[in-house]
Amino acid sequence: DIWSNSPAGVGVDQELISAVPSYNPNFVSRNFTDAEIAYCQKQPSPPSSFAARWVGKEAAFKSLGVKSQGAAAAMKEIEILNDEAGVPTVHLHGEAKRVAEQKGIKKVVISLSHSDTTAIAFEQRALH
Amino acid sequence: DIWSNSPAGVGVDQELISAVPSYNPNFVSRNFTDAEIAYCQKQPSPPSSFAARWVGKEAAFKSLGVKSQGAAAAMKEIEILNDEAGVPTVHLHGEAKRVAEQKGIKKVVISLSHSDTTAIAFEQRALH
Amino acid sequence: DIWSNSPAGVGVDQELISAVPSYNPNFVSRNFTDAEIAYCQKQPSPPSSFAARWVGKEAAFKSLGVKSQGAAAAMKEIEILNDEAGVPTVHLHGEAKRVAEQKGIKKVVISLSHSDTTAIAFEQRALH
């Protein structure tokens, strides 16, 4: 049955911006890389930018078909930076990168959005 | 014009968790399979889990390019179960399966998310 | 590093329906085509339909990897119409069409959803 052998390949996640504790320096330093922090702090609404990246990290784990397990180290292994054109881009490191390569995943494409209240992320992995 | 011949291939759906009447046994038994009900009732928040699967079924119809028509039978033909790794997986049955095969759709990949208030689902069909 | 060379290919956008000023005729005529306006005005909730198309246009720009720049003309170049089966379909015109062709993008597939309060769109571009 092909339907019972369907590997995950997409990931969606959402969160109320107010539920992501970006006012807590320990939370931020544990879960975001220096480059992510520098970017978010320059944005018009840092809490919205941190929240968007937070859901982006969770959605990336879903698209990879693994659980984030709430491990802080793992969250930093999913780094979301904007490229020259301003497009959010996923960079994998460490164990996350190893798992992706093992599964034959060539890249993870991402889109982020936030309204006044809610941040949402969508991700899709590509095998070629 | 290639732009006017663009078959649907993705599906998104969202709903307030409070708007999905999972407290109604008739609604549940009409729209969810026994395996789905058993899974949702074991979760920390059954209403959130039922709502996530409900929007997952709607998004699946959108990704297949057909309308759900609110038909109860049709909703059961889109069965969303977690695989061994805990990843939500779409199993098609009956008419939904027949339509997918007719369109050459090999699988539907899915991701689910719920915040405190809202459930959201994203789906993508794959032709190979 | 393949991870630093990841072109955008998906787009998500959301907005509170109340934040899209579809009650303003100037906003509507600047941003929607005649066919889109005719469709939305026939729907049960025109504000919801206009909002869904509005976020659909924004998500389309994201999936193309370009910025909408808030240019009114650009918004009309992303036209979202339903096909015979009732499936929302993206039609590109003008500069948006030219950029897509230049990037080798063959089509953009889309899904729209609105709850009582929020409209959301997801889009994916296809290279073949």
Side-chain angles (χ1 to χ4, degrees), chain B residues 1 20-21 27 29-30 37 47-48 51 58 62 96 98 104 109:
Chain B
D1 179 6
V20 178
F27 171 81
S29 62
R30 264 204 320 267
I37 295 169
S48 301
E58 290 286 0
K62 293 181 179 179
R98 199 189 60 74
V109 292

Side-chain angles (χ1 to χ4, degrees), chain A residues 43-91:
Chain A
Q43 299 310 301
S45 168
S48 302
S49 297
F50 278 116
R53 270 158 179 75
W54 176 259
V55 295
K57 289 162 186 266
E58 290 285 3
F61 279 113
K62 292 181 180 179
S63 74
L64 293 172
V66 298
K67 306 210 171 183
S68 69
Q69 306 174 311
M75 297 308 269
K76 277 191 168 176
E77 291 183 353
I78 310 281
E79 185 178 39
I80 303 169
L81 300 175
N82 287 22
D83 68 12
E84 325 77 57
V87 176
T89 306
V90 177
H91 301 254

Side-chain angles (χ1 to χ4, degrees), chain B residues 22-106:
Chain B
S22 58
Y23 49 78
N24 179 339
N26 290 334
F27 171 81
V28 168
S29 62
R30 264 204 320 267
N31 293 295
F32 298 89
T33 68
D34 290 348
E36 289 177 318
I37 295 169
Y39 173 83
C40 290
Q41 288 181 338
K42 278 188 305 187
Q43 298 311 301
S45 168
S48 301
S49 297
F50 278 116
R53 271 159 180 73
W54 176 258
V55 294
K57 290 163 186 265
E58 290 286 0
F61 279 112
K62 293 181 179 179
S63 74
L64 293 172
V66 297
K67 306 209 171 185
S68 69
Q69 304 173 314
M75 297 309 269
K76 276 190 169 177
E77 292 183 354
I78 311 280
E79 185 180 38
I80 302 169
L81 300 175
N82 286 22
D83 69 12
E84 325 79 56
V87 176
T89 306
V90 177
H91 302 252
L92 299 186
H93 305 287
E95 180 70 2
K97 184 172 184 173
R98 199 189 60 74
V99 167
E101 287 174 348
Q102 188 183 345
K103 293 190 172 192
I105 299 168
K106 292 282 182 266

Side-chain angles (χ1 to χ4, degrees), chain C residues 7-78:
Chain C
V10 292
V12 65
D13 201 63
Q14 64 178 341
E15 199 71 67
L16 287 171
I17 293 167
S18 60
V20 178
S22 58
Y23 49 79
N24 179 339
N26 290 334
F27 171 80
V28 168
S29 62
R30 264 205 319 268
N31 294 295
F32 297 89
T33 68
D34 290 349
E36 289 177 318
I37 295 169
Y39 172 84
C40 290
Q41 289 179 339
K42 277 188 303 186
Q43 299 310 299
S45 167
S48 302
S49 296
F50 277 117
R53 269 158 180 75
W54 177 258
V55 295
K57 290 163 185 265
E58 290 286 3
F61 278 113
K62 292 181 179 179
S63 75
L64 294 172
V66 297
K67 305 209 171 184
S68 69
Q69 305 174 311
M75 296 308 270
K76 276 190 168 176
E77 292 182 355
I78 311 281

